[in-house]
Amino acid sequence: MSELLNFNYPPEPAVDRVTLFADVILPLPLPKLYTYRIPFEMNDEVLVGARVIVQFGGKRVLSCIVADIHENAPAEYQAKYILDVLDDTPIVTAPQLKLFKWMADYYMCTLGEVINAALPSALKLSSESRIQLHPQYNPEEDKIPLSAQEEKIIFALQNNQALTFTEVGTLLQAKSYHKFIKSLIQKEAIIIFEQVSDKFSPKVVKKVRLSEHFVQEEGMLEELFNQLAPQPKQLDVLLNYLQKVPVHQDLHLNYKGLEKSVLTSNPHLSASSINTLIKKGVLEQFDQVVSRFPVDHEPRQLPMALSEHQLQAKDEILGLFKEKEIVLLHGVTGSGKTEVYIDLIKHALESGGQVLYLLPEIALTAQIVTRLMKVFGDKLGVYHSKFSDNERAEVWQGILSGRFQVVIGVRSSIFLPFHDLSLVIIDEEHEASYKQYDPAPRYNARETALVMANLQGAKTLLGSATPSIESYYNCKTGRWGLVSMTKRFGEAQLPDIELVNTRDEQRRKAMHSHFSGQLLTAIEERLQREEQVILFQNRRGYAPFISCDECSWIPKCKHCAVSLSYHKFNNELRCHYCGYHERMPHDCPACGATTLKSMGFGTEKVEDELKLMLPNAEVQRMDLDTTKKKNSYQQIIADFETGRTNVLVGTQMVTKGLDFENVSLVGILNADTIINFPDFRAHERAYQLFVQVSGRAGRKGKPGSVIIQTRDPLQPIFRKVRNNDYQSLYEHEIEERMRFGYPPFMRMIRVTVKHADEQVSENAAIVLAKDLTDRLGKQQVLGPEVPYIFKIRNLFLQEIHIKLPRENTNLKAAKAQLAQAIFNLKLLPDFKGVKVVADVDPV
Ligand code: ADP
Ligand code: ZN
Ligand code: ZN
């Protein structure tokens, strides 16, 4: 109805029949929000931050988030009606919406892309979404009260593995059926279908309980005692069970039973007697599925008592928080930062807010989660990429409902629906993996967390043994507070670091393949002393490339400008950029010779050779290839922790945060490629990596050593690493950054132009660079240039770097100019198919 008509015909008596519209965020890369009309009967039901179902385009029906409700009909199109309301309370909070808008602006992407990355798939429904029975729900046995419609759905699912939403609609012959699906999800009768069944693997524990009739029937238990009297060992088991499960006090306790391991791990009980009782039918063995987020019924452990240094650090942090929003804790490896965090989290929870604890990688979480779980029990939520979508949705809802007050998680946890944060902890803040490269939003979780904390009035503590130059600079200029811990916890010493010149060793013919004599001897010594060793090599696979001895042929990826890596375990050549793989050829496809040789080395080769050289050692490898499965990290770490493995070989994954008591030697096999990487952050990275990996050595009591193999021991970075001299690294780096115009003095945006035709890509980049120069000034635009890897996935790449002075730049205006330039470029007929990606603050 237009305003004019409204004026002529005054509204009908029903005063509340206002025509309302909702702007919604669809999980798609659309430049603008779409406006839908709210049917009158839903006027009270549609809420900002809640999901509604709409039709988008011709046929597609999908869920989206309401961003705003107003009375303005869109001018350009006839608004369609919202079809259904999914949530009666918002699932995206107000501060979250603000943050998402900031992310879209700052990282130059659409709100739809942010929402798409933010919401677990299980919360993004569309007509193509499918449902299946909850793996833990058995319709025959578990009597959940269901409505007639819900029963219909369950019945259909018992006969079909999965149903699409459209099929559910047809089944119920109803348009508005989403509420039934939602209700069934809440009742844990169904889940959103998961493609990979492996993802949803409920944890099962073996339990035992007394067979039913001993408990139900009067006098049976006494009779059992009499029967077992001649078998004292079996009687012991029974008594022990009754002690743990006082059935005589409460019959129902028997139903839950006892974890079998409680009995089997008791050294005073005989394992065979336990099994005999099961065989006899006295004890009944059963499997129980335990929650993915075990509720810790055990009394919570108190956190460890802080040492004097830790107390002092904590007091300093709390003191600084009185004046500053952000504090950096610079504490050497093993100084006990985690316990300081735990104490601060407790402190924050006491005053009622939520806490987010960010970690760069899941590899780390296993150990720290256990530590936090002991203190915070069922208040702790865990969020990481190895979780299934349904598990993630569970965490999401748990934060909304108040079940989880502390969340520990990786990068993507900044998307979670916090609304009352009082503390954010960013551990290992220097880590590059806080940055998402692809796809959009290309955000840095560290900066985003800072904005999120700011929006919710929370304090932020960043922690690192090797802070990023940018963060340290913020402390030096007084914007952030700085607290230092210079000593390791307890008596632990920082390790000794020895450099081995592999160039000399080669000349002396003293290298055993990639191992120097010093390193091998040191490893053997540790093994004899039953101590453990970590070996770091910054490359996975067996060899980064192979080459023909006769004609020098090197196999390259068909789609990328890189050589193929050799993976021995499956005899494959593989591209680490696009995943292309082929079988390792037997002889050279170019000249036919059978002299293909592998060049260089990766973790797989280190593992392989070590197993040959030290046949008695248990060697395990931790890299991308060995940690694909959901629980493989935990397994590898657990094996190492319990001493089942002696040597852990790995990529970056082994460098971070892991804390093993028994590791007394760390070896870095090839330091040179890390230092000589062509990037302005190469030295900072190298320092961080060497110090971090060295930090794994010699934790409790035992002094540790580190052996670094290099062809250039005089490289100044080593002196800084050996002396643990962060100050001199910082001073050197910050001076260079100032001189050559890099962050923190400049803000950078990397613009990548991509096209399947090399010439088109180059031409487009030239035109774009020219336009950007006109808009932003000559000083601000560098390039275009061809990046080191100039083709990925069949697209030829060109890069333009934009540098904007940190002070006195209108960043928003500059980004608007960039967006306009990209938009204009794509209008040109020659460059229609060109892709342009802007990466803000690339790392
Ligand atoms: P960081 O994170 O600073 O590298 P951690 O927090 O991992 O250091 O602590 C190093 C070691 O010291 C760990 O094994 C930890 O259990 C131990 N530790 C730290 N603080 C305490 C404490 N207050 N009481 C007992 N042990 C502690
Ligand atoms: Zn050849
Ligand atoms: Zn490739």
Side-chain angles (χ1 to χ4, degrees), residues 240 243-244 260-271 274:
N240 204 280
Q243 199 183 4
K244 299 266 158 42
K260 191 180 173 189
S261 60
V262 175
L263 298 178
T264 50
S265 65
N266 184 336
H268 304 295
L269 299 179
S270 117
I274 299 170

Side-chain angles (χ1 to χ4, degrees), residues 303-307 310 331-341 357 368 371 427-428 465 485 488-490 657-661 692 695-696 699-700:
M304 301 179 193
L306 296 189
S307 71
Q310 287 169 320
V332 296
T333 54
S335 55
K337 296 185 286 294
T338 319
E339 291 309 317
V340 176
Y341 302 149
Y357 184 153
I368 290 180
R371 276 163 85 174
D427 200 4
E428 311 289 352
M485 291 168 80
R488 282 193 149 185
F489 178 80
L658 298 169
D659 175 22
F660 301 107
E661 269 183 55
Q692 291 288 345
R696 304 311 120 212
R699 293 209 133 199
K700 275 184 206 138

Side-chain angles (χ1 to χ4, degrees), residues 322-336:
K322 293 204 178 104
E323 313 146 28
K324 300 198 194 276
E325 302 308 311
I326 304 168
V327 173
L328 173 68
L329 175 59
H330 177 202
V332 296
T333 54
S335 55

Side-chain angles (χ1 to χ4, degrees), residues 273-294:
S273 302
I274 299 170
N275 288 327
T276 312
L277 286 176
I278 295 171
K279 266 192 221 133
K280 277 192 190 169
V282 173
L283 290 177
E284 174 189 20
Q285 181 166 308
F286 65 104
D287 286 344
Q288 186 174 29
V289 177
V290 291
S291 164
R292 285 157 270 159
F293 304 106

Side-chain angles (χ1 to χ4, degrees), residues 653-672:
M653 281 180 196
V654 299
T655 65
K656 300 171 188 173
L658 298 169
D659 175 22
F660 301 107
E661 269 183 55
N662 199 28
V663 173
S664 60
L665 173 68
V666 163
I668 298 173
L669 283 134
N670 178 3
D672 305 327

